[in-house]
PDB file of all heavy atoms in Angstrom:
ATOM      1  N   GLY A 533     -42.440  -2.247  46.493  1.00  0.00           N
ATOM      2  CA  GLY A 533     -43.598  -3.091  46.506  1.00  0.00           C
ATOM      3  C   GLY A 533     -44.513  -2.583  47.482  1.00  0.00           C
ATOM      4  O   GLY A 533     -44.387  -1.592  48.177  1.00  0.00           O
ATOM      5  N   ASN A 534     -45.687  -3.384  47.614  1.00  0.00           N
ATOM      6  CA  ASN A 534     -46.650  -3.179  48.648  1.00  0.00           C
ATOM      7  C   ASN A 534     -46.853  -4.381  49.563  1.00  0.00           C
ATOM      8  O   ASN A 534     -46.687  -5.483  49.022  1.00  0.00           O
ATOM      9  CB  ASN A 534     -47.980  -2.812  47.961  1.00  0.00           C
ATOM     10  CG  ASN A 534     -47.894  -1.486  47.201  1.00  0.00           C
ATOM     11  OD1 ASN A 534     -47.289  -0.570  47.666  1.00  0.00           O
ATOM     12  ND2 ASN A 534     -48.611  -1.426  46.075  1.00  0.00           N
ATOM     13  N   GLN A 561     -37.564   3.129  52.661  1.00  0.00           N
ATOM     14  CA  GLN A 561     -38.614   4.176  52.797  1.00  0.00           C
ATOM     15  C   GLN A 561     -39.987   3.444  52.803  1.00  0.00           C
ATOM     16  O   GLN A 561     -40.219   2.522  52.068  1.00  0.00           O
ATOM     17  CB  GLN A 561     -38.559   5.039  51.458  1.00  0.00           C
ATOM     18  CG  GLN A 561     -39.581   6.157  51.565  1.00  0.00           C
ATOM     19  CD  GLN A 561     -39.361   7.153  50.379  1.00  0.00           C
ATOM     20  OE1 GLN A 561     -38.232   7.286  49.942  1.00  0.00           O
ATOM     21  NE2 GLN A 561     -40.431   7.702  49.945  1.00  0.00           N
ATOM     22  N   LEU A 562     -40.807   3.873  53.810  1.00  0.00           N
ATOM     23  CA  LEU A 562     -42.123   3.284  54.037  1.00  0.00           C
ATOM     24  C   LEU A 562     -43.121   4.336  53.911  1.00  0.00           C
ATOM     25  O   LEU A 562     -43.044   5.420  54.443  1.00  0.00           O
ATOM     26  CB  LEU A 562     -42.218   2.727  55.499  1.00  0.00           C
ATOM     27  CG  LEU A 562     -41.219   1.549  55.799  1.00  0.00           C
ATOM     28  CD1 LEU A 562     -41.343   1.137  57.276  1.00  0.00           C
ATOM     29  CD2 LEU A 562     -41.342   0.378  54.852  1.00  0.00           C
ATOM     30  N   THR A 563     -44.274   4.024  53.253  1.00  0.00           N
ATOM     31  CA  THR A 563     -45.431   4.953  53.077  1.00  0.00           C
ATOM     32  C   THR A 563     -46.761   4.212  53.390  1.00  0.00           C
ATOM     33  O   THR A 563     -47.048   3.268  52.660  1.00  0.00           O
ATOM     34  CB  THR A 563     -45.410   5.526  51.670  1.00  0.00           C
ATOM     35  OG1 THR A 563     -44.172   6.097  51.368  1.00  0.00           O
ATOM     36  CG2 THR A 563     -46.576   6.542  51.438  1.00  0.00           C
ATOM     37  N   ILE A 565     -50.787   3.590  53.380  1.00  0.00           N
ATOM     38  CA  ILE A 565     -51.740   3.809  52.284  1.00  0.00           C
ATOM     39  C   ILE A 565     -53.172   3.733  52.941  1.00  0.00           C
ATOM     40  O   ILE A 565     -53.435   2.717  53.647  1.00  0.00           O
ATOM     41  CB  ILE A 565     -51.704   2.800  51.106  1.00  0.00           C
ATOM     42  CG1 ILE A 565     -50.279   2.964  50.476  1.00  0.00           C
ATOM     43  CG2 ILE A 565     -52.779   3.069  50.106  1.00  0.00           C
ATOM     44  CD1 ILE A 565     -50.057   1.861  49.411  1.00  0.00           C
ATOM     45  N   VAL A 594     -49.052  -0.966  53.187  1.00  0.00           N
ATOM     46  CA  VAL A 594     -47.858  -0.172  53.293  1.00  0.00           C
ATOM     47  C   VAL A 594     -47.080  -0.326  51.932  1.00  0.00           C
ATOM     48  O   VAL A 594     -46.848  -1.401  51.464  1.00  0.00           O
ATOM     49  CB  VAL A 594     -46.951  -0.612  54.398  1.00  0.00           C
ATOM     50  CG1 VAL A 594     -45.643   0.272  54.453  1.00  0.00           C
ATOM     51  CG2 VAL A 594     -47.725  -0.407  55.756  1.00  0.00           C
ATOM     52  N   SER A 595     -46.614   0.842  51.393  1.00  0.00           N
ATOM     53  CA  SER A 595     -45.792   0.812  50.239  1.00  0.00           C
ATOM     54  C   SER A 595     -44.311   0.924  50.659  1.00  0.00           C
ATOM     55  O   SER A 595     -44.012   1.862  51.504  1.00  0.00           O
ATOM     56  CB  SER A 595     -46.099   1.988  49.263  1.00  0.00           C
ATOM     57  OG  SER A 595     -45.269   1.994  48.155  1.00  0.00           O
ATOM     58  N   TRP A 596     -43.448   0.127  50.224  1.00  0.00           N
ATOM     59  CA  TRP A 596     -42.118   0.188  50.711  1.00  0.00           C
ATOM     60  C   TRP A 596     -41.166   0.294  49.469  1.00  0.00           C
ATOM     61  O   TRP A 596     -41.382  -0.036  48.375  1.00  0.00           O
ATOM     62  CB  TRP A 596     -41.735  -1.113  51.451  1.00  0.00           C
ATOM     63  CG  TRP A 596     -41.849  -2.388  50.689  1.00  0.00           C
ATOM     64  CD1 TRP A 596     -42.990  -3.186  50.620  1.00  0.00           C
ATOM     65  CD2 TRP A 596     -40.941  -2.996  49.824  1.00  0.00           C
ATOM     66  NE1 TRP A 596     -42.860  -4.214  49.790  1.00  0.00           N
ATOM     67  CE2 TRP A 596     -41.518  -4.202  49.285  1.00  0.00           C
ATOM     68  CE3 TRP A 596     -39.672  -2.672  49.470  1.00  0.00           C
ATOM     69  CZ2 TRP A 596     -40.905  -5.036  48.385  1.00  0.00           C
ATOM     70  CZ3 TRP A 596     -38.970  -3.520  48.545  1.00  0.00           C
ATOM     71  CH2 TRP A 596     -39.619  -4.702  48.064  1.00  0.00           C
TER      72      TRP A 596
END
Side-chain angles (χ1 to χ4, degrees):
N534 295 323
Q561 183 172 328
L562 302 175
T563 303
I565 299 176
V594 176
S595 177
W596 59 267

